[in-house]
Amino acid sequence: MHLLSTVQYLAYDPGITPSGGGLPGLAVLKNVINSINLFAIVAVVGALAVSLGVWAWGHHTGGHQAEANGKKGAVVAAGAALGLGAANGIVAFFSALGSQVH
C-alpha cells in the first residue's frame, strides 16, 4: 500500500521545475533560437514587401485574384511578425499561468 500512495503523490506533484543552467550548452541553444527568430523576422519583412507589391500590382492591372492574394499575404505576414515578436512573452505568460495550477 505504501508504493501505491507514493505513486499517487508523484502523479499530483512530480516536483519538476524549470532550472536555468542545468544543462551544458543552454547559452548556445538560446543563441541558435535567437538567430532563427531573427532570420524568420527578416523573411517576414521580405514576404510583406512581396505581398504589398502583388496587392498594388493586382489593383492597378485589374487582377482581382492577384489583389486578393496580395491582401491575404500581407495579413499573414503581419500576423507572423506579431507572433514572432510576441513569442517570448506568450511562452512566459503561459508558463507563469501553468505554474499556478495545483
Side-chain angles (χ1 to χ4, degrees):
M1 191 62 172
H2 183 279
L3 178 63
L4 181 61
S5 64
T6 303
V7 170
Q8 285 177 339
Y9 175 74
L10 286 177
Y12 294 117
D13 184 16
I16 298 171
T17 57
S19 174
L23 290 175
L26 187 59
V28 173
L29 181 61
K30 285 180 182 180
N31 193 18
V32 168
I33 297 300
N34 287 337
S35 298
I36 290 171
N37 195 9
L38 176 63
F39 179 79
I41 289 172
V42 170
V44 165
V45 169
L48 182 60
V50 169
S51 295
L52 293 174
V54 169
W55 185 356
W57 176 75
H59 178 75
H60 289 294
T61 61
H64 301 294
Q65 187 69 29
E67 183 179 0
N69 286 336
K71 287 178 186 178
K72 284 188 279 188
V75 170
V76 169
L82 178 67
L84 289 167
N88 197 36
I90 291 169
V91 171
F93 172 77
F94 282 108
S95 178
L97 190 65
S99 68
Q100 295 175 5
V101 176
H102 295 289

